[in-house]
Amino acid sequence: MSALAAHFLVGPTASGKSAVAQYLALLGRPPRPVLSADSMTIYRGMDVGTAKPDAADRAAVPSFGFDLVDPDRPFSVGDWLAAIRAAAPAIAACGAPPIVVGGTGLYVKCLTEGLDGTPADPDRRAAAEALLQAEGLAALQAATQALNPAEYAKLRDPENPRRLVRAYELLASGQPLPVAEERPRPKVAGLLLPPEELRARIARRARRMFAYGLVEEVRALRAKYPELSDTARHAIGYEEAGQVLDGKIAEEEAIHLGAVRTGQYAKRQMTWFRHQADVVWIEVGPRDGVERLAGKVQAVWRTHGPAALRI
């Protein structure tokens, strides 16, 4: 396990996190490393539609977590954590705590709380999911408890379907449940915009992505990768741009649909961070440019310090 610690900046998509993180990284002498905790910037060739920092910005600071996999390959959170673990010596060699920036809550969580490393058992997981779908949560609870009542009693949240499926998978294969370490969640900084301002930013960004060549990017991806992964193919913006290429919808409709999906995703992000992380929210006002927000983020970091990375 690494002894690295990092400062975090989280929030919903289009909240301006990346620009603030870049500004803060450049204040360091030498520049501080930036680690992307975003499940879409991992894909090579998917740049415009993921709002990935451009090549010049990434070259200006030590950058990690970008372009980890081709978009025709499956890539799990465990794969992502393994990639970050492999990069840990290079991150540490930068000599300053990295800035972790992103809106993928599970990536943030596995950095701060670790990840259950027990291998998955697809057949037993499928059986649990089928039982949940057919007979409901109570039936899956009963089946899981019957496998090992003592271990089931240790389950922290048997009302959580995802955890219950994982518990069934482990117990059915004779594995114990992972031991949960009782430790406080680290405080992380987050950017919070008024809903109407966030919606406006999302709409502007959706239009800008198409203006900057999202349809052309999807055309190039299709030419290079005949079969994109499900995640890449259905990514917000990419699916809509693909429909434009296929003649199914006009570009204006694609922009609208992409903005709607992005707004829905932002709501899910906020729900996750409010329930699964300890975020010190920084309200973004109309006069808050990048420099002003960077000062507010630094104040949070000074107060609470960096968080240990469990990688």
Side-chain angles (χ1 to χ4, degrees):
M1 185 176 297
S2 160
L4 275 176
H7 289 114
F8 284 75
L9 180 58
V10 304
T13 186
S15 59
K17 305 180 298 296
S18 295
V20 173
Q22 182 79 7
Y23 181 90
L24 287 165
L26 288 169
L27 292 179
R29 294 293 181 269
R32 292 179 60 181
V34 171
L35 169 54
S36 173
D38 185 302
S39 63
M40 297 312 299
T41 60
I42 62 170
Y43 290 115
R44 301 184 188 104
M46 293 178 63
D47 303 328
V48 175
T50 63
K52 192 182 294 179
D54 62 28
D57 280 348
R58 280 181 279 152
V61 302
S63 299
F64 300 90
F66 299 100
D67 298 340
L68 300 178
V69 65
D70 289 336
D72 61 345
R73 303 293 181 187
F75 198 77
S76 68
V77 65
D79 294 326
W80 181 81
L81 190 58
I84 302 307
R85 188 179 294 121
I91 297 172
C94 296
I99 298 171
V100 177
V101 57
T104 300
L106 190 54
Y107 283 13
V108 171
K109 188 181 182 71
C110 74
L111 285 178
T112 58
E113 300 182 30
L115 185 68
D116 173 18
T118 307
D121 185 321
D123 291 340
R124 290 187 170 93
R125 175 171 295 185
E129 290 173 343
L131 179 60
L132 178 65
Q133 180 70 25
E135 301 184 37
L137 186 66
L140 182 56
Q141 287 172 333
T144 307
Q145 185 176 31
L147 290 169
N148 190 324
E151 283 293 309
Y152 179 83
K154 301 176 184 177
L155 189 59
R156 283 186 294 171
D157 185 5
E159 301 295 321
N160 183 318
R162 181 180 61 82
R163 285 186 177 168
L164 193 61
V165 166
R166 180 58 170 157
Y168 181 96
E169 177 187 358
L170 290 171
L171 297 181
S173 59
Q175 300 287 335
L177 298 182
V179 177
E181 298 183 51
E182 293 297 329
R183 61 174 67 211
R185 287 173 175 155
K187 291 188 178 294
V188 299
L191 299 184
L192 179 66
L193 281 80
E196 63 277 10
E197 172 60 21
L198 184 60
R199 284 194 295 269
R201 287 194 184 192
I202 287 171
R204 290 195 296 270
R205 191 167 80 170
R207 185 167 298 280
R208 188 165 59 246
M209 285 176 175
F210 278 82
Y212 286 2
L214 180 56
V215 173
E216 290 74 18
E217 183 170 88
V218 172
R219 181 183 285 113
L221 286 168
R222 285 181 170 186
K224 188 172 183 179
Y225 305 103
E227 187 66 34
L228 295 173
S229 71
D230 284 344
T231 301
R233 185 170 61 255
H234 296 300
I236 297 173
Y238 288 87
E239 182 171 7
E240 289 76 16
Q243 291 176 323
V244 172
L245 281 175
D246 295 336
K248 295 179 178 178
I249 59 175
E251 186 168 300
E252 194 63 31
E253 183 180 358
I255 292 169
H256 171 71
L257 292 174
V260 169
R261 287 181 66 201
T262 303
Q264 294 167 342
Y265 175 58
K267 288 182 179 179
R268 294 196 299 272
Q269 288 176 297
M270 289 302 300
T271 298
W272 195 97
F273 281 118
R274 284 179 171 136
H275 291 89
Q276 299 290 332
D278 191 353
V279 182
V280 180
W281 292 107
I282 298 166
E283 295 187 1
V284 180
R287 296 192 301 165
D288 285 332
V290 170
E291 183 176 357
R292 185 180 175 95
L293 283 173
K296 294 182 179 182
V297 172
Q298 284 180 310
V300 173
W301 289 350
R302 281 194 297 268
T303 299
H304 300 288
L309 299 186
R310 296 178 58 76
I311 60 177

